[in-house]
């Protein structure tokens, strides 16, 4: 063993020693617990910490959310709040016409709903096209495929705050985009204070940040398609277009559907990148539902946690529907896989 | 149309260059620029001085103005290349500036003051890095504290996640008990409950257990990850039960079986979960934003957003701190990226 390796082994042992020691100490009471309760009791012991945390911080909030949405006031603790029944929901859903936010009592909520709807449509479409094209290209006989895969995956790991700031910096008045525009003889522009461009930026940045993830799923699907199918098609002299429509697309469909539904589910909850990038502006043109919940629940001076809770339940219902859709799509994919 | 389709289908190997190859390579190279370009631009900008950041059009590389020590002046003076009335150019140092007229001296002859119209001069610049952008936020702002908070949250949350998730996964994969499938269903079912749906009640629950405005209030709600339990359970199912039975024959306790046999064997899955957890917790934004209101408890993400949201954004610091915030994730990307990609391709989780 070389000197460095010995040192490394010693350092590792020294770091692990207290943990190993702790584990052997724990073993003593656990042995008597095991003797007293049998292996069934041990199952309970192993489950307990996770389920306790899970229960307190996921299940309890999930259940009390329904009670919460039936109360009003600005206090956060349930016992300090007054019961108002379905009033919060009535307030949210009170609209002259759902297509015109100005006729709604909670016009901000409906503005957020409309914006989110538009965002979801644009983002899902762009995401699907871009990640599909990238996956198809990465599936060709490309030199250095894992390098290129990593290139497109890189932004997935960045934090939304970092992503938002990077792009705010590029899109600002003295930014890189304006440099490019300027060099091509164009007029510099305040991209993020323009309704259309702010929306376009929010959509594009979120595609930039997450496309690597979906490309990966699609690429895995493409690589699972048996090669002999293509070889057979080639021997029959099938046209490439036909190969795509008759082999690639049908066999990729399960993955493609999963990608579309996953994108949908995540797009409905869009918050961080868009929030850091535009802050919901200009005006309310990039205000999305999660930001509405956050602002009405916590940040706004006129905060109303009950209303935020009711809005979050409405969003949750949409997500449940989408998730059931995903499960159905996923199961169909599985069955299809099993048949082959 | 069929041309587009050729492009969409795979290339049949070794037939020379087709136009679809060119389009593919253009796409890849364009992707390289679009994916890495913004981050590179960020890093380059983070080394620019405030004056340079305000310039338009911006320069690609960071420059600093050259300065020189001139006899008779305490501070170093900034050097300019000045076009003199006789048509020659000379390097002069600026003493002070009044409106559009600058009073300048020749560093070689520091006694004669020359008045120069600022239109007739250009700053002397060289490529240089404004490293003070990195040093100062740690002194003037609380960035060191934010960094500590972020590291604490990430490390603690990841350790607890690994321990509790692996214990739960062990119970769910290696024991038969009543309600096991129901427990599993419950855990997997909550995969579809995102934070934004339970934001308000979670806040009141965390308040009720007294963890508001504490780093533990950030850590605990995130650690019981359903994805982690699911990933580890799927992996532990592949560990043969005979191994556990053999250990029981040798009088090993259940805890020893978990600790000595199952955990080491599940190391690959634990590694994947650890990497995911580090990235998740480091990047968390909405929950810390809601639960932390005392400034000294902010994590990097919340601190960055706060400073970037101020009326007078000090971009030179923000950019440098954004780079610092990116570093751990870049390290993960460079060294551990293949674990993540294989994890995603295998399970479809993120």
């Amino acid at each position: 063993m070389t000197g460095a390796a010995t040192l490394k082994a010693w350092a590792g042992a020294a770091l692990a020693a207290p943990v190993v020691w702790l584990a052997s100490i724990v073993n003593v009471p656990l042995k008597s617990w095991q003797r007293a309760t049998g292996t069934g009791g041990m199952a309970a012991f192993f489950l307990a910490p996770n389920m306790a945390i899970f229960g307190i911080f996921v299940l309890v909030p999930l259940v009390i959310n329904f009670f919460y949405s039936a109360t009003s006031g600005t206090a956060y603790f349930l016992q300090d709040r007054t019961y108002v029944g379905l009033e919060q929901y009535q307030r949210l859903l009170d609209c002259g016409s759902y297509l015109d936010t100005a006729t709604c009592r909670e016009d901000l909520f409906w503005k957020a709903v409309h914006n989110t709807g538009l965002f979801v449509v644009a983002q899902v479409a762009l995401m699907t096209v871009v990640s599909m094209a990238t996956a198809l290209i990465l599936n060709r006989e490309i030199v250095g495929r894992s390098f290129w895969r990593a290139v497109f995956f890189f932004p997935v790991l960045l934090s939304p705050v970092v992503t938002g700031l990077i792009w705010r910096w590029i899109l600002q008045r003295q930014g890189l985009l304006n440099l490019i525009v300027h060099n091509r003889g164009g007029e510099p522009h305040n991209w993020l204070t323009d309704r259309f461009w702010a929306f376009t930026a929010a959509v594009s940045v979120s595609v930039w940040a997450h496309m690597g993830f979906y490309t990966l799923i699609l690429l895995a699907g493409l690589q699972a398609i048996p090669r002999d199918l293509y070889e057979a098609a080639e021997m029959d002299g099938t046209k490439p277009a036909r190969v795509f429509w008759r082999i690639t697309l049908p066999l990729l469909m399960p993955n493609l559907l999963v990608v579309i539904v996953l994108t949908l589910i995540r797009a409905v909850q869009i918050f961080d990148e868009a929030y850091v990038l535009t802050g919901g502006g200009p005006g309310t043109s990039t205000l999305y539902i999660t930001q509405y919940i956050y602002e009405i629940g916590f940040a706004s001076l006129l905060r109303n946690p009950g209303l935020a809770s009711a809005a979050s339940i409405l969003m949750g219902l949409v997500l449940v529907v989408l998730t059931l859709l995903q499960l159905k799509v996923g199961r169909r994919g599985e069955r299809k896989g099993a048949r082959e | 149309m069929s041309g587009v389709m050729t492009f969409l289908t795979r290339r049949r190997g070794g037939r020379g260059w087709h136009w679809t190859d060119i389009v593919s390579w253009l796409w890849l190279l364009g992707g390289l620029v679009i994916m890495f370009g913004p981050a590179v631009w960020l890093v380059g900008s983070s080394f620019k001085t405030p004056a340079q950041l305000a310039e338009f059009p911006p320069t690609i590389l960071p420059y600093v103005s050259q300065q020189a020590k001139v006899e008779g002046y305490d501070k170093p003076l900034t050097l300019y290349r000045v076009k003199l009335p006789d048509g020659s150019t000379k390097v002069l140092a600026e003493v002070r500036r009044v409106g559009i007229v600058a009073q300048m001296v020749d560093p070689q002859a520091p006694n004669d003051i020359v008045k120069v119209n600022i239109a007739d001069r250009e700053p002397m610049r060289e490529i240089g890095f404004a490293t003070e952008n990195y040093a100062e936020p740690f002194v003037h702002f609380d960035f060191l504290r934010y960094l500590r908070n972020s590291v604490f949250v990430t490390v603690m949350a990841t350790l607890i996640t690994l321990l509790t998730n692996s214990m739960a996964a062990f119970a769910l994969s290696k024991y038969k008990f009543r309600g096991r499938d129901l427990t599993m269903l419950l855990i997997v079912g909550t995969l579809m409950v995102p934070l934004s749906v339970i934001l308000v009640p979670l806040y009141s629950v965390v308040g009720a257990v007294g963890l508001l405005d504490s780093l533990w209030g950030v850590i605990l709600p995130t650690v019981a990850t359903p994805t982690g339990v699911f990933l580890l359970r799927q992996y532990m199912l592949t560990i043969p039960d005979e191994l556990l039975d053999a250990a029981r024959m040798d009088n090993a306790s259940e805890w020893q079986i978990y600790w000595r046999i199952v955990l080491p064997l599940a190391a690959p899955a634990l590694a994947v979960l650890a990497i995911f957890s580090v990235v998740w917790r480091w990047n968390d934004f909405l929950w810390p934003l809601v639960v932390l209101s005392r400034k000294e408890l902010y994590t990097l993400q919340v601190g960055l957003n706060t400073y970037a949201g101020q009326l007078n954004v000090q971009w030179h610091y923000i950019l440098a701190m954004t780079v610092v915030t990116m570093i751990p994730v870049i390290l993960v990307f460079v060294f551990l990226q293949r674990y993540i990609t294989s994890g995603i391709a295998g399970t479809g989780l993120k």
Side-chain angles (χ1 to χ4, degrees):
Chain A
M1 208 189 264
T2 63
T6 322
L7 196 71
K8 224 166 154 184
W10 273 103
L15 278 174
V19 181
V20 170
W21 179 73
L22 211 66
S24 58
I25 295 279
V26 171
N27 187 38
V28 178
L30 282 180
K31 244 183 170 159
S32 31
W33 170 258
Q34 188 184 335
R35 237 173 278 128
T37 62
T39 41
M42 285 313 283
F45 162 77
F46 281 115
L47 269 178
N50 198 71
M51 294 320 281
I53 297 173
F54 182 74
I56 295 172
F57 297 112
V58 180
L59 291 185
V60 170
L62 199 58
V63 172
I64 68 169
N65 207 5
F66 290 97
F67 296 102
Y68 216 95
S69 66
T71 59
S72 75
T74 53
Y76 282 112
F77 294 124
L78 204 51
Q79 65 269 25
D80 304 333
R81 302 175 56 80
T82 34
Y83 178 79
V84 291
L86 293 178
E87 197 183 279
Q88 306 281 20
Y89 292 96
Q90 279 163 0
R91 189 167 158 189
L92 280 179
L93 298 174
D94 182 9
C95 258
S97 153
Y98 289 120
L99 294 176
D100 182 7
T101 55
T103 63
C104 296
R105 187 156 161 225
E106 273 307 311
D107 57 335
L108 216 52
F109 173 70
W110 284 99
K111 188 80 200 154
V113 170
H114 284 198
N115 287 343
T116 309
L118 214 61
F119 179 88
V120 166
V121 172
Q123 202 245 24
V124 171
L126 192 62
M127 184 77 91
T128 311
V129 170
V130 171
S131 49
M132 181 79 177
T134 312
L136 284 168
I137 286 173
L138 289 178
N139 194 40
R140 295 159 62 92
E141 278 142 35
I142 289 281
V143 185
R145 181 187 293 149
S146 52
F147 167 76
W148 293 109
R149 199 176 59 181
V151 166
F152 289 95
F153 188 73
F154 163 68
V156 175
L157 295 178
L158 294 181
S159 90
V161 176
V162 167
T163 303
L165 286 175
I166 286 180
W167 283 97
R168 233 176 98 181
W169 180 243
I170 286 175
L171 298 172
Q172 58 122 8
R173 183 134 192 111
Q174 287 98 8
L176 183 61
L177 187 60
N178 274 339
L179 174 67
I180 296 167
V181 168
H182 173 85
N183 286 350
R184 305 170 120 254
E187 194 58 36
H189 196 75
N190 257 339
W191 303 99
L192 292 176
T193 55
D194 178 301
R195 283 170 171 274
F196 170 75
W197 287 112
F199 169 77
T200 310
V203 172
S204 321
V205 168
S206 81
V207 170
W208 180 83
H210 303 293
M211 64 158 289
F213 174 72
Y214 300 104
T215 302
L216 223 57
I217 297 181
L218 290 175
L219 186 60
L222 283 172
Q223 290 183 336
I225 299 176
R227 276 176 178 273
D228 37 340
L229 287 179
Y230 290 106
E231 280 157 19
E234 195 177 352
M235 276 204 258
D236 292 346
T238 317
K239 281 215 179 75
R242 221 176 135 74
V243 172
F244 177 76
W245 289 114
R246 288 298 165 86
I247 298 177
T248 309
L249 203 58
L251 289 181
L252 190 63
M253 204 38 99
N255 294 61
L256 194 60
L257 287 174
V258 166
V259 164
I260 292 173
V261 179
L262 267 183
T263 323
L264 256 169
I265 291 175
R266 301 238 168 98
V268 171
Q269 306 164 43
I270 176 75
F271 174 69
D272 342 33
E273 297 118 37
Y275 179 70
V276 176
L277 190 69
T278 65
T284 54
S285 56
T286 54
L287 173 79
Y288 301 114
I289 298 177
T290 300
Q291 192 188 340
Y292 172 83
I293 293 170
Y294 165 66
E295 296 206 328
I296 292 296
F298 303 95
S300 155
L301 287 175
L302 300 165
R303 72 190 156 81
N304 184 343
L307 196 65
S309 162
S312 75
I313 286 177
L314 292 181
M315 182 168 92
L317 289 179
V318 173
L319 290 174
V320 166
V321 171
L322 289 176
T323 310
L324 292 179
L325 190 72
Q326 181 200 6
L327 288 179
K328 209 173 158 196
V329 162
R331 200 156 307 140
R332 213 168 68 191
E334 259 167 44
R335 242 186 282 130
K336 203 158 194 172
R339 235 189 296 140
E340 261 137 29
Chain B
M1 195 57 202
S2 91
V4 174
M5 287 307 134
T6 322
F7 158 65
L8 288 173
T9 48
R10 62 175 62 221
R11 176 176 146 222
R12 288 152 297 170
R15 294 250 177 110
W17 278 77
H18 191 261
W19 67 267
T20 59
D21 295 315
I22 298 168
V23 173
S24 299
W25 279 101
L26 283 179
W27 181 276
L28 291 177
L29 293 173
L32 186 69
V33 171
I34 292 176
M35 293 294 147
F36 282 135
V40 172
W41 179 250
L42 170 82
V43 174
S45 302
S46 74
F47 286 105
K48 290 180 176 177
T49 59
Q52 247 213 303
L53 289 177
E55 257 172 39
F56 190 85
T59 54
I60 302 287
L61 291 169
Y63 290 93
V64 289
S65 356
Q66 279 183 4
Q67 294 188 316
K69 192 102 184 69
V70 179
E71 212 178 306
Y73 297 92
D74 295 337
K75 285 185 183 160
L77 302 177
T78 311
L79 294 178
Y80 290 84
R81 193 183 303 278
V82 179
K83 213 195 264 156
L84 294 172
D86 60 6
S88 66
T89 56
K90 204 171 179 187
V91 175
L92 297 179
E94 181 187 79
V95 178
R96 67 175 71 81
R97 187 181 141 188
V98 184
I100 58 158
V101 179
Q103 300 180 356
M104 310 189 81
V105 290
D106 188 337
Q108 263 70 53
N111 295 326
D112 310 326
I113 293 224
V114 188
K115 285 191 178 163
V116 178
N117 188 316
I118 58 166
D120 296 334
R121 61 173 205 183
E122 244 174 39
M124 300 264 299
R125 299 209 292 196
E126 58 185 357
I127 293 178
F129 300 95
T131 46
E132 64 271 19
N133 290 350
Y134 285 84
E136 282 170 13
F138 285 105
V139 185
H140 295 314
F141 303 127
D142 280 338
F143 268 108
L144 197 58
R145 185 170 285 172
Y146 300 162
L147 188 64
R148 270 210 314 259
N149 291 342
S150 271
V151 170
F152 179 77
V153 167
T154 305
V155 170
M156 280 316 201
T158 300
L159 289 178
I160 299 175
T161 300
L162 289 178
L163 183 69
T164 58
N165 285 7
S166 67
M167 283 169 68
F170 176 60
L172 289 168
S173 61
K174 292 299 170 205
Y175 293 109
K176 287 190 181 68
F177 55 90
R178 240 166 32 135
R180 184 180 70 171
D181 295 341
L182 187 75
T183 317
M184 200 57 214
L185 197 70
L186 201 66
I187 291 177
V188 175
T190 48
L191 272 171
M192 63 177 97
V193 182
L195 173 67
S196 45
V197 169
I198 55 168
L199 195 62
V200 183
L202 179 59
Y203 182 85
S204 77
V205 166
V206 168
V209 293
L211 289 176
L212 278 189
D213 236 341
S214 100
L215 290 177
W216 287 104
V218 177
I219 295 168
L220 285 179
T222 59
V223 295
T225 59
T227 29
V229 176
F230 184 69
L231 177 86
L232 292 174
R233 173 182 172 264
Q234 297 307 91
Y235 196 87
M236 286 179 187
L237 284 175
T238 65
I239 297 173
D241 288 341
E242 289 77 26
L243 222 54
L244 279 63
D245 290 334
R248 284 188 189 110
M249 295 282 196
D250 289 343
N251 233 347
S253 73
E254 295 301 309
W255 171 260
Q256 281 170 326
I257 289 174
Y258 158 75
W259 185 259
R260 292 275 183 79
I261 297 174
V262 174
L263 267 198
L265 286 176
L270 286 170
V272 170
L273 179 60
I275 298 168
F276 271 110
S277 174
V278 165
V279 175
W280 286 333
R281 298 294 84 87
W282 185 263
N283 289 348
D284 268 342
F285 174 58
L286 178 58
W287 180 241
L289 180 70
V290 166
V291 91
L292 301 173
S293 50
R294 286 217 326 268
K295 250 191 162 177
E296 60 267 30
L297 290 174
Y298 280 1
T299 58
L300 269 180
Q301 314 289 346
V302 179
L304 257 186
N305 177 62
T306 310
Y307 283 120
Q310 283 170 344
L311 216 51
N312 191 3
V313 182
Q314 290 179 298
W315 274 110
H316 53 299
Y317 294 148
I318 297 287
L319 295 174
M321 289 307 104
T322 308
V323 173
V324 172
T325 310
M326 254 167 60
I327 290 173
V329 172
I330 303 253
L331 291 179
V332 167
F333 173 74
V334 171
F335 294 108
L336 305 169
Q337 183 256 134
R338 64 205 159 91
Y339 291 98
I340 300 190
T341 47
S342 65
I344 290 176
T347 60
L349 64 86
K350 184 166 82 167

